[in-house]
Amino acid sequence: MKIGQVSEKSGLPTKTIRYYESIGLVAPAGRTAAGYRAYDKNDLETLKFIQRARSLGFSIQEVSALLMLWNDRNRASAQVKELAKRHVEEIDRKVAELQSMKETLSTLIDKCHGDDRPNCPILNDLANVR
Amino acid sequence: MKIGQVSEKSGLPTKTIRYYESIGLVAPAGRTAAGYRAYDKNDLETLKFIQRARSLGFSIQEVSALLMLWNDRNRASAQVKELAKRHVEEIDRKVAELQSMKETLSTLIDKCHGDDRPNCPILNDLANVR
DNA sequence: CTTGACCTTACCATTACTGGAAGCTCCATA
DNA sequence: TATGGAGCTTCCAGTAATGGTAAGGTCAAG
């Protein structure tokens, strides 16, 4: 398989696949005589794994750790669970922050009549005019 | 006021204040004879405004728009409201994405016994072993 | 034999900063 | 008066994870 095929099948842009190779997230691909990257089924599975982990919001660093655990037949599932739990906590933190922003904004939006008049509680709040 | 003072009072690092000047978000500060940046009360208010808008998650671009609206005595509050509403929608999208990730992960975490045994539903799912 | 799709590397841009180096300036203290 | 340290200056580089574009090589079809 050439990079276009694995891109199609993994859902990762070719650019991204080359990038992952360049940063050492995946081992350098084999090459054809012409210098094209050549992938086998195994490589594809790895890229799919990465794509799924990324889509769950794991950072490249975390994906790297997950890959190592995945390739370690003897790892304890506790390690993976721990990593996943920490990631969920991180997600929770982000959600809480966003919710808090939303709450403040929604309150301000409700107070703003939003017509042609210039008076605007949103700007007043940002300007700390209370 | 020198940059250290406005940094203190605005909650923005000096680095960040210089950065905002360099990208044109704020006008170049005045200078003392020695070449130090000199700020007045007005400059400080602008930086505080920016700090608050950023803390509500507005991008630099959006903050720039808000600043223009803030400085426009005749703007319609409808414009500000529109901008804020779009930002809230953006927040909603991010939250939904994070919630979806969290849901998937939580399900997997629950299924993983997390002990010394190597079998791990989390990795199995990432590897698409179903 | 040429066209067009696909591949290669290399470099710049993005977002919003943050860190560090090398060198001024200012003020207080010995 | 010298000196030391805090604070200021500019410039360069790096972060995460790509996206964009250029300039060029390769391959199969018509």
Side-chain angles (χ1 to χ4, degrees):
Chain A
M1 264 178 297
K2 281 181 289 183
I3 200 167
Q5 261 106 51
V6 283
S7 165
E8 188 79 15
K9 292 183 185 177
S10 67
L12 292 169
T14 59
K15 270 274 184 188
T16 300
I17 296 171
R18 291 194 199 97
Y19 170 69
Y20 288 165
E21 183 182 311
S22 81
I23 61 170
L25 180 63
V26 297
R31 297 289 179 138
T32 67
Y36 289 8
R37 281 175 184 78
Y39 297 89
D40 60 22
K41 263 190 81 170
N42 222 322
D43 300 328
L44 176 58
E45 290 314 310
T46 301
L47 290 168
K48 281 183 179 175
F49 180 100
I50 293 171
Q51 192 280 325
R52 285 187 212 104
R54 290 285 300 132
S55 77
L56 288 175
F58 287 102
S59 69
I60 299 272
Q61 285 259 340
E62 288 168 326
V63 172
S64 178
L66 286 170
L67 277 174
M68 281 200 290
L69 291 168
W70 186 39
N71 290 323
D72 178 3
R73 291 277 91 199
N74 296 322
R75 92 270 155 172
S77 63
Q79 285 177 267
V80 183
K81 190 166 182 170
E82 205 37 58
L83 209 164
K85 272 176 156 175
R86 254 179 285 137
H87 182 47
V88 167
E89 282 164 19
E90 185 61 33
I91 290 176
D92 282 341
R93 267 191 295 279
K94 283 183 189 163
V95 168
E97 196 184 346
L98 289 170
Q99 301 275 29
S100 155
M101 289 175 185
K102 181 187 167 164
E103 220 164 293
T104 303
L105 271 169
S106 297
T107 305
L108 292 174
I109 288 171
D110 285 348
K111 281 196 278 185
C112 177
H113 30 66
D115 54 19
D116 288 343
R117 285 172 292 172
N119 181 42
C120 177
I122 301 170
L123 291 180
N124 287 351
D125 185 88
L126 288 172
N128 205 22
V129 179
R130 299 189 204 283
Chain B
M1 264 179 298
K2 281 181 288 182
I3 200 167
Q5 261 107 48
V6 284
S7 164
E8 187 78 17
K9 291 184 186 174
S10 67
L12 293 169
T14 61
K15 273 275 187 190
T16 301
I17 296 172
R18 291 194 199 98
Y19 170 68
Y20 287 165
E21 183 181 311
S22 82
I23 61 170
L25 180 63
V26 296
R31 298 289 177 137
T32 67
Y36 287 10
R37 283 176 184 78
Y39 298 89
D40 60 23
K41 263 191 83 172
N42 222 322
D43 299 329
L44 176 57
E45 289 314 310
T46 301
L47 290 169
K48 281 183 177 175
F49 180 100
I50 294 171
Q51 193 280 324
R52 285 188 213 101
R54 291 286 301 131
S55 77
L56 287 175
F58 287 102
S59 69
I60 297 274
Q61 285 259 341
E62 288 168 325
V63 172
S64 179
L66 286 170
L67 278 175
M68 281 200 291
L69 291 169
W70 187 39
N71 291 321
D72 178 3
R73 289 278 93 198
N74 295 321
R75 91 271 155 172
S77 63
Q79 283 177 269
V80 183
K81 191 166 181 171
E82 205 36 58
L83 209 164
K85 271 176 156 176
R86 255 179 283 137
H87 182 47
V88 167
E89 282 164 19
E90 185 61 34
I91 290 175
D92 281 341
R93 268 192 295 278
K94 284 184 189 162
V95 168
E97 195 185 346
L98 289 170
Q99 300 277 30
S100 154
M101 288 177 184
K102 180 187 169 165
E103 218 164 294
T104 304
L105 271 169
S106 297
T107 306
L108 292 173
I109 288 171
D110 284 348
K111 282 197 279 186
C112 176
H113 28 66
D115 55 17
D116 289 343
R117 285 172 292 174
N119 181 43
C120 177
I122 301 171
L123 291 179
N124 287 350
D125 184 89
L126 288 172
N128 205 22
V129 178
R130 302 191 200 279

